[in-house]
Amino acid sequence: MIAVLDYGIGNLRSAEKALVHLGADARLVSDPEVAATATGVVMPGVGAFGPCAAALRRSGLGEVALDAIARGVPFFGICVGFQLLYEGSEEAPGVAGLGVLGGTVRSLPEGVKRPQMQWNRLCRRDGTDSALLAGLGDEPWVYFVHSFAPQITEDVVATCDYGGEVVAAAERGRVWGTQFHPEKSGTVGLAVLRNFVKAYSAEESTAAARRAWISSAQ
Amino acid sequence: MRSVRVIPCLDVDAGRVVKGVRFVDLFDAGDPVELAARYDAEGADELVFLDITASAHERDTMVEVVARTAEQVFIPFTVGGGVRTSEDARRLLRAGADKVALNTSAVADPQLVSELGEEFGAQCIVVAIDARRRPAKSGANSRVGRKPDVGKHGGAGGERDGADTGADGRSDGREEASWEVYTYGGRQATGIDAVQWAVRCAGLGAGEILLTSMDRDGTRDGFDLLLTRAVVDSVTIPVVASGGVGTLEHLVDGATIGGADALLAASIFHLREHSVAEAKRYLASHGVQVRPAET
């Protein structure tokens, strides 16, 4: 099961529906105990970093997210859910993110409209080999809604041009994240989510084998 | 890089898409979900559903339309019309809408904009403004025989009218033109200045302005470019221009002269005069950056 973490912020349906559309067993999950059994985790998020971080902590799902990441469960953070993977954000000084990815979240460059609310072209980072972006064209268009974005670090696999280079996607092992909304980026976005479902399916078949092995001993 | 969004608008009445000219002559244009899927396939960047149903019962129909759309269409969509209370907004967002557009309810209770913005994120909250040109002021300086409605001939015409006035030693067209906010589907004048209202909404935390010229809506004469430009220049949040698109040239004008971040149109798409893909090719060939339609 892919748990789409429901920590009480905004509309999380779209991510769940896109995954279900791709044939994945995805569910909105608010109960930490249920979320802990997931073999794939998606962490959406909309709005501001501070309230999202607080809600994530309050719900108990932040710990579940960290445990899943520590166990190597495929993990996908979207938009503010992506930003929460970092150490913190300029938007909410003093509020801690999960700190799974090094670096912090910064405001978009001066001189451009904020939020960026539009489609934009992805630019792959040279020398990165991305499972998240596998099979996509050269400069695919995706949909962004945000005023902040993580700083550029070695985990970044794609950026977009919005008053300068702005982080669009990052990947560190099985932890993936996108600043854009794959669930709202048409066929390109569905292809990104399909890549995640593929990674999850591999994990899930291992988990199923483990369950079968344990039950066969009883 | 800035790219301009092309947004087909679907007026929905009792679960069917309809399109009328100035709220009359409604005709049936199909099933909203089917149409939404078609526009998505043609390369639409977003969709707007405007619920023009009056009865509360049909509101539930709209929630069903939203839920069905969210299962099949994976581009952003906004729902407006009849979002009276925060509970209405919640139901639509929970059903899968990405944004809700507040109109009458925002005028009645501006705090609703902040309240919903805090709960769901500002990017979910669109303020829809229906604006109508005010007749030119009939003060001591007013000219005999001057047409009160300077908007009939498009933005450029409006500017020319303004320049004429300027020769009289008065302010230019843009400063002089003003627009009034209407609510209840265009039936109720509010006395509120549309540009000032847009600024206030941005301050309250609205994520976007959906700006409809009532003078142009359904006329196919083109956007009210002066109105569009006046609002775009006054706020920093995105502005969706709406009302009056009859040709692809009008879309280009809305992006270039009007400066709009997104362009909304209905009948040219519903009547299949142009596909969204054609519109985008036309915009691109006229120097407007758009996401290319998938082929």
Side-chain angles (χ1 to χ4, degrees), chain A residues 87-111:
Chain A
E87 293 160 20
S89 172
E90 262 181 25
E91 191 180 11
V95 176
L98 295 178
V100 173
L101 300 178
T104 57
V105 178
R106 311 272 173 89
S107 179
L108 286 175
E110 295 291 327

Side-chain angles (χ1 to χ4, degrees), chain A residues 63-167:
Chain A
E63 272 181 62
V64 174
L66 285 169
D67 289 344
I69 290 167
R71 280 185 285 121
V73 168
F75 192 95
F76 198 149
I78 298 172
C79 197
V80 178
F82 171 45
Q83 296 177 1
L84 286 167
L85 291 169
Y86 287 83
E87 293 160 20
S89 172
E90 262 181 25
E91 191 180 11
V95 176
L98 295 178
V100 173
L101 300 178
T104 57
V105 178
R106 311 272 173 89
S107 179
L108 286 175
E110 295 291 327
V112 289
K113 273 204 182 192
R114 280 177 274 190
Q116 167 173 224
M117 188 188 278
Q118 62 168 16
W119 294 73
N120 206 338
R121 257 190 318 236
L122 289 182
C123 177
R124 289 162 188 266
R125 293 284 281 176
D126 286 342
T128 56
D129 181 24
S130 167
L132 188 161
L133 301 173
L136 299 186
D138 262 355
E139 290 189 321
W141 287 74
V142 291
Y143 186 78
F144 290 86
V145 186
H146 65 126
S147 299
F148 294 81
Q151 67 185 114
I152 296 179
T153 62
E154 58 184 11
D155 301 320
V156 172
V157 292
T159 57
C160 69
D161 170 22
Y162 194 69
E165 230 181 356
V166 170
V167 168

Side-chain angles (χ1 to χ4, degrees), chain B residues 198-255:
Chain B
V199 171
R200 175 138 189 245
C201 291
L204 287 166
E208 189 170 56
I209 301 287
L210 169 53
L211 180 65
T212 301
S213 161
M214 292 173 59
D215 305 291
R216 296 308 177 83
D217 196 31
T219 64
R220 308 172 66 84
D221 289 341
F223 294 117
D224 184 336
L225 298 170
L226 224 52
L227 166 65
T228 308
R229 177 52 79 176
V231 173
V232 166
D233 286 348
S234 306
V235 298
T236 57
I237 55 175
V239 176
V240 184
S242 157
V245 173
T247 68
L248 298 181
E249 191 62 42
H250 291 152
L251 293 175
V252 174
D253 290 346

Side-chain angles (χ1 to χ4, degrees), chain A residues 10-11 13-14 17-18 21 46-47 113 117-121 141 143 145 161-162 183-187 190, chain B residues 1-3 5 45-46 67 74-76 93-95 97-99 120 123 208 236-237 261 291-292 294:
Chain A
N11 163 22
R13 282 270 166 226
S14 335
K17 288 195 170 168
H21 179 78
V46 294
K113 273 204 182 192
M117 188 188 278
Q118 62 168 16
W119 294 73
N120 206 338
R121 257 190 318 236
W141 287 74
Y143 186 78
V145 186
D161 170 22
Y162 194 69
E183 78 284 14
K184 287 290 152 186
S185 295
T187 51
L190 290 176
Chain B
M1 183 193 57
R2 171 178 177 262
S3 73
R5 290 169 278 150
D45 296 310
E46 279 186 44
F74 300 102
I75 57 173
L93 290 167
R94 285 203 194 115
D98 298 285
K99 314 179 202 178
F120 290 98
Q123 77 290 334
E208 189 170 56
T236 57
I237 55 175
D261 300 281
R291 173 179 71 120
E294 286 161 34

